Amino acid sequence: MPNIGKICTSCGKLTDNYAIFKCPDCGKIDIVRCDQCRLDHVKYVCVECKFEGP
Ligand SMILES: [Zn+2]
Ligand SMILES: [Zn+2]
């Protein structure tokens, strides 16, 4: 399976080194977080419910 990467929810950059998980609040949206944002503890906002994490 080719790895085409994902767009990071936090910084909007294309990344192939990321974590993906469902929004912990609404569970509808896939949150993608690149390694850099994870290390820097950059916030993400769910587009569905506006939940702010981590
Ligand atoms: Zn990022
Ligand atoms: Zn949500």
Side-chain angles (χ1 to χ4, degrees):
M1 202 170 87
N3 190 350
I4 55 164
K6 292 267 186 198
I7 301 290
C8 173
T9 303
S10 297
C11 66
K13 286 181 193 158
L14 187 67
T15 174
D16 56 10
N17 209 351
Y18 57 85
I20 187 166
F21 53 93
K22 296 281 184 196
C23 169
D25 197 45
C26 68
K28 292 179 192 167
I29 299 298
D30 284 329
I31 306 286
V32 178
R33 220 150 173 249
C34 72
D35 266 14
Q36 197 56 53
C37 288
R38 232 172 26 178
L39 286 173
D40 293 347
H41 304 289
V42 179
K43 283 182 183 170
Y44 60 82
V45 180
C46 173
V47 292
E48 177 77 18
C49 67
K50 309 297 180 210
F51 175 82
E52 224 178 69

